[in-house]
Amino acid sequence: MKNKIQTLLFGIFALLLTAACSDDEGLTQVDAAAPVNISADFSIKQDNSGEVTIYPSAEGANSFNVDFGDGSGSSEEFTAGNSVSHTYTEGTYQVMVTAKNAAGRTAEAAQELVVSFKAPENLEVGITKDAGNPLLVYVTAMADYAASYEVFFGEDPSAAPTLMMPGETISYEYSNTGLYTIEVVALSGGQASTSYSEEIEIVDPFVLPVTFESSTVDYTFYNFGGGEAAGVPLVENPALSSINESATVASYTKPAGSETWAGTSATLNENIDFSSKKYLAIDVYSPAAGVPVLFKVEKAGDNTVFVESTTMTTAANEWETLYFDMSAVDDTQTYSVLTLFFNFNIPGTGETYYFDNIRLESPTVIELPVTFEKGIENYAFTEFGGSPTTVVANPHLEEGNMSATVAQLFKANGSETWAGAFIDLDRKVDFTLGESISMKVWSSRPNIPIILKFENPADGNIATEATTTTTKTEAWETVTFDYTGVDVTQTYQRMVVFMDYGTSGTDTNYYFDDVKIGDGDVETVSLFSEDYTDVPVDTWRTEWSAADYEETTFDGSTVKKYSNLNYVGIETTQPTVDASEMTYFHTEVYSDDFTAFRVKLVDFGANGVYDGGGDDVEHEIEFTAPEQGTWVNLDIPLSDFTNLTTRAHIAQLIYSANPAGSNTVYIKNVYFHN
C-alpha cells in the first residue's frame, strides 16, 4: 500500500511539473535592449539657493537614478516622467543619469551642469531658417555661467518659453507669415539673467508658380559662372503686354566674359508635382531672337538627378512664352532646384534677360471652346464631393455629337448633392464675345439640373453661374447657359460643372463636350483653328505678298506670324470657300506696333478665277487704332462687307496693316461661322 501511495504522489508531481512547463511556454520573454538617447534638462531656481530640478529622459527607460556629481551620492530610483531636486554650491558638475528598462538593463550618460550665481556672460545666439521650409527656424545658444536657456518665439505672447540646454538646438515652426521677435534668456542660479532678441521675418513658401509678385516670398536666385554677387534683382516689367501683365519680373545679366555655362539657380520649398503636367513654361524677354535657353530641374542635394530641356527664343525685345519638355522626369525621384542658362554655350556679353511666371503648363492652351480633342493628358479635372471626372473616348458616337473624345463625370453612389468637378483654363473666359455658353450633354434621363460655374482661381468669391436642365433620354443634346449681366472685366478662368445638382449620386455617368460661347448651334468653315477642322488652304503667303511669314508658337498657341507686314494674301482656290450660309468672319490678331489693321475678302465668282471684273467681288474693312499688346478678337458680320455681294466662292483673304512694311502681327482662329 505504501508503494502505491508513493507511486501515486510521484505521478501527481510529474503531472504538475509538466503543466508548469507548459504554462511557461506561453510567457513572453523580456529581453529589451538597454535605454538609449539619455539626457537631462536642468531647472535652476534663480534665488541664489542653488536648488536644481533634474528632469531625465531616455528612449526605452522605465526608471532613473541620478548621481548628482558633487560627492553627495545618488538619488533614489524613480519612475520615468518624474524629476528629482538637489541643492548645489557654485561650481561645474558632471551629473550622471542611469536609465533602466523593464528587463533591468541599464545605461548611463553624463551631462554637464554649471551652477553659478553670476549673471550669464558672453551670450551668443544662433537663429537659422530651414533651407526647405521657410516657416521653420532653429535656435542654439552658448554663454559663460549659463545652466539653461528660455526661448520665446514671439508668435503667441501667452505661450510658455521653451527650455533649452547648453549645446542643444531646438526648432519651432510658425503657423503664419510675419515679423516676429525671438528672445533667448540665459539663466544661471542667480537672480540676474542675460537676454538676447532678434527680429526674424517668416515668409510664404517659395513654390510654383513663381510670379515675383508676393512681398512675403523670398525669391532668392544664386548666380554661377560669373556675376555671383549680382543675383537676380526684381525690377519693373520693361514692356507690359498681354503675354505678361505682371508688374514685377526677374532680371538676369550674363556678365561680359562669363563662362559659357553661366546661369542662375534657386531652390523651391516643395518638390515640383509633375504628376499631371510634364512641361514647364516661362515668360521670357530676350534682347535677341534665336537665343538658346536651357532649363534644368534637379533633386535637392543630389545634382546627379536632373532633367533638362532647351528652347530657342523667337522674338527680340518682347515677351514670349517658352515651353520646356520635362517628360523625361523619373516619377520615383523629386525635383525642387530650378536652374536657368540663358544663351547657353556662349560667353556673356553683359546682355540682360528678363523672366517671369515660371509654372507647370501644357504646351496646348486650354480655353473656350473646350472640345476635349487636344489630348486626354491636357485635361486635368479636380473632383469634389464624390464625382471623379476624366476625358474618355466618346461612348455614344451618334447624331448630335460625333466627337472622338468627351468628358465623363461619374456621380458615385452616395456622393454629395453638390458633387462636381472643375478644370482651370489657361485663359480667362471672354464674355465680351457673348453672355451665353453652350454645352453638349448626354444623360440617361431627362430633367437633370446642370450648373455651369466660372470662378477666379485666386478668389472663389469672384464667380458667375447659370443653371439649365436636360430634356432628352440617352441622347446627346445641346444646352445653353445664360450669363446675362456678367461682369466681363473679371478673370473667370476656372470652369466648374455640377451634374444632377441637389441630388445624391447613384453611380451614374454623365457626359459633356464642346463648351463654347454662344447658343451651341454654330456652324463653321475654318481656315485655321485648333478647335475646328480646317478646309484646304493653298498658301498663307502668296508670291505677290509684301511680308515675311512663318508658322510659330506664340502665347501658347500655334499662330501665323507676319513681320515687316505691308499686305499678305491667303488663297483658297482648290476649292474655293462656300460661306453663303455663314453670317460672320472671325479672326484674332495680336501686335505690339500696328496702328491700323485691314481685312479684305475676295470672291472669285462661279468660274473660280480672278479676272479683274465680271463675277469677281471684294470688300475691305479697316480697324483704326486697334489695341496693342493684346489679342484683338474680330468677329465681323459678313453684312459689313457690303461689296461682297456673293460669298459662295471666296478664294482670297488679304491682311494689311500700318505702318506699312514695319509692323509684326500674329494671327489665329480664322474661320467663318453663322
Side-chain angles (χ1 to χ4, degrees):
M1 182 68 178
K2 181 177 180 180
N3 289 336
K4 291 182 179 179
I5 293 174
Q6 289 176 335
T7 302
L8 178 62
L9 290 174
F10 179 79
I12 294 173
F13 178 76
L15 180 62
L16 291 172
L17 180 61
T18 302
C21 291
S22 178
D23 288 345
D24 286 345
E25 290 172 1
L27 297 176
T28 301
Q29 185 176 8
V30 178
D31 188 23
V36 294
N37 295 329
I38 303 169
S39 64
D41 288 342
F42 304 128
S43 177
I44 303 178
K45 279 191 175 181
Q46 292 181 269
D47 58 1
N48 296 340
S49 68
E51 182 177 337
V52 179
T53 302
I54 303 170
Y55 301 89
S57 63
E59 294 179 19
N62 289 73
S63 62
F64 296 96
N65 177 279
V66 177
D67 184 329
F68 299 114
D70 61 353
S72 64
S74 301
S75 69
E76 298 287 337
E77 185 174 324
F78 57 95
T79 56
N82 291 307
S83 61
V84 63
S85 296
H86 186 71
T87 300
Y88 291 86
T89 58
E90 287 188 288
T92 301
Y93 305 94
Q94 293 295 321
V95 177
M96 185 67 68
V97 177
T98 301
K100 182 190 293 185
N101 65 16
R105 300 189 64 178
T106 62
E108 61 184 22
Q111 187 153 326
E112 186 175 89
L113 168 66
V114 177
V115 178
S116 174
F117 302 148
K118 295 181 180 180
E121 299 176 356
N122 303 318
L123 174 60
E124 295 181 7
V125 176
I127 301 174
T128 57
K129 293 182 181 179
D130 185 84
N133 182 355
L135 303 177
L136 183 64
V137 297
Y138 301 97
V139 177
T140 187
M142 59 183 298
D144 297 336
Y145 313 122
S148 62
Y149 305 87
E150 291 181 337
V151 183
F152 300 83
F153 289 96
E155 185 170 29
D156 181 0
S158 64
T162 301
L163 187 65
M164 181 173 66
M165 293 295 102
E168 184 181 8
T169 299
I170 62 173
S171 63
Y172 180 83
E173 186 167 359
Y174 286 88
S175 302
N176 299 288
T177 62
L179 194 64
Y180 299 98
T181 299
I182 296 178
E183 182 181 13
V184 178
V185 181
L187 305 174
S188 68
Q191 294 180 347
S193 61
T194 303
S195 64
Y196 170 86
S197 62
E198 180 180 322
E199 280 193 340
I200 184 169
E201 185 176 12
I202 301 299
V203 299
D204 282 321
F206 181 22
V207 298
L208 294 183
V210 179
T211 64
F212 303 112
E213 298 297 326
S214 174
S215 61
T216 60
V217 174
D218 181 7
Y219 298 109
T220 299
F221 277 74
Y222 297 95
N223 297 351
F224 52 87
E228 283 79 0
V232 174
L234 302 187
V235 300
E236 184 179 349
N237 189 337
L240 290 168
S241 72
S242 65
I243 295 176
N244 188 9
E245 300 175 345
S246 300
T248 306
V249 301
S251 169
Y252 169 73
T253 298
K254 193 168 184 178
S258 64
E259 301 289 348
T260 60
W261 42 262
T264 189
S265 181
T267 300
L268 301 174
N269 294 135
E270 72 177 19
N271 297 321
I272 302 171
D273 181 8
F274 283 113
S275 60
S276 61
K277 295 183 178 181
K278 304 292 188 186
Y279 282 77
L280 285 168
I282 312 178
D283 294 337
V284 172
Y285 185 101
S286 169
V291 172
V293 181
L294 187 150
F295 192 6
K296 183 178 185 180
V297 293
E298 301 175 5
K299 181 178 182 177
D302 185 359
N303 60 10
T304 65
V305 178
F306 68 90
V307 177
E308 62 187 27
S309 177
T310 301
T311 300
M312 306 288 286
T313 64
T314 63
N317 299 316
E318 63 182 73
W319 286 103
E320 63 179 319
T321 300
L322 301 183
Y323 294 90
F324 299 85
D325 183 359
M326 300 296 181
S327 57
V329 294
D330 183 345
D331 291 337
T332 66
Q333 297 288 351
T334 58
Y335 304 86
S336 60
V337 180
L338 309 176
T339 306
L340 283 166
F341 305 82
F342 289 95
N343 216 8
F344 185 63
N345 270 340
I346 300 173
T349 60
E351 75 273 23
T352 296
Y353 303 87
Y354 302 96
F355 64 96
D356 197 10
N357 299 322
I358 306 174
R359 72 269 188 193
L360 282 163
E361 194 169 298
S362 167
T364 301
V365 174
I366 305 301
E367 61 182 343
L368 291 191
V370 179
T371 63
F372 304 114
E373 301 297 330
K374 295 183 178 181
I376 291 175
E377 70 278 4
N378 294 316
Y379 300 93
F381 278 91
T382 300
E383 66 98 0
F384 51 87
S387 56
T389 301
T390 55
V391 176
V392 300
N394 187 348
H396 304 289
L397 279 169
E398 58 195 29
E399 182 178 356
N401 189 8
M402 296 299 294
S403 297
T405 51
V406 299
Q408 172 188 276
L409 186 150
F410 177 70
K411 196 162 184 181
N413 187 43
S415 64
E416 302 291 346
T417 59
W418 40 263
F422 70 84
I423 185 172
D424 286 340
L425 307 176
D426 293 322
R427 294 202 179 93
K428 69 178 184 179
V429 179
D430 187 359
F431 279 108
T432 63
L433 299 178
E435 295 185 353
S436 65
I437 289 181
S438 64
M439 174 194 287
K440 292 180 180 177
V441 177
W442 189 99
S443 171
S444 59
R445 65 187 195 276
N447 302 317
I448 298 298
I450 304 172
I451 295 178
L452 183 60
K453 183 178 183 180
F454 292 93
E455 299 177 355
N456 183 327
D459 185 355
N461 293 318
I462 301 175
T464 183
E465 65 180 54
T467 303
T468 192
T469 304
T470 64
T471 62
K472 294 186 177 182
T473 301
E474 297 186 344
W476 284 102
E477 63 179 307
T478 299
V479 297
T480 302
F481 301 85
D482 185 3
Y483 298 90
T484 300
V486 64
D487 184 352
V488 299
T489 66
Q490 297 293 347
T491 300
Y492 300 113
Q493 209 164 322
R494 172 170 292 171
M495 183 174 76
V496 191
V497 180
F498 304 81
M499 291 289 184
D500 203 10
Y501 185 78
T503 303
S504 183
T506 56
D507 281 350
T508 303
N509 281 317
Y510 301 92
Y511 300 93
F512 59 98
D513 195 13
D514 294 343
V515 185
K516 60 184 69 176
I517 294 176
D519 61 10
D521 295 326
V522 176
E523 295 180 359
T524 63
V525 177
S526 175
L527 277 63
F528 177 65
S529 170
E530 293 181 340
D531 299 304
Y532 305 109
T533 301
D534 298 334
V535 299
V537 175
D538 300 347
T539 179
W540 284 91
R541 182 193 179 279
T542 59
E543 293 182 356
W544 45 265
S545 297
D548 297 322
Y549 160 73
E550 67 172 322
E551 182 171 293
T552 185
T553 299
F554 177 75
D555 195 21
S557 298
T558 302
V559 300
K560 306 295 185 181
K561 178 181 178 182
Y562 297 103
S563 52
N564 304 313
L565 174 63
N566 185 352
Y567 54 86
V568 62
I570 298 103
E571 288 193 338
T572 57
T573 63
Q574 301 294 326
T576 58
V577 171
D578 183 1
S580 57
E581 298 298 318
M582 303 294 108
T583 54
Y584 287 84
F585 173 76
H586 181 92
T587 190
E588 296 170 29
V589 58
Y590 176 99
S591 176
D592 284 322
D593 50 19
F594 63 2
T595 58
F597 185 71
R598 290 174 291 276
V599 178
K600 178 187 285 189
L601 294 176
V602 182
D603 191 299
F604 280 7
N607 63 6
V609 177
Y610 184 77
D611 52 17
D615 57 356
D616 300 333
V617 292
E618 62 184 53
H619 189 90
E620 183 178 82
I621 294 178
E622 181 174 12
F623 300 88
T624 58
E627 188 174 359
Q628 296 180 351
T630 189
W631 283 104
V632 178
N633 289 295
L634 301 177
D635 211 38
I636 312 167
L638 287 174
S639 58
D640 288 357
F641 295 85
T642 53
N643 295 325
L644 193 70
T645 54
T646 62
R647 300 196 294 268
H649 304 91
I650 293 177
Q652 283 183 351
L653 163 64
I654 301 172
Y655 293 124
S656 60
N658 290 342
S662 59
N663 67 89
T664 299
V665 301
Y666 300 86
I667 302 290
K668 67 176 183 178
N669 292 330
V670 183
Y671 54 86
F672 298 86
H673 69 91
N674 62 16

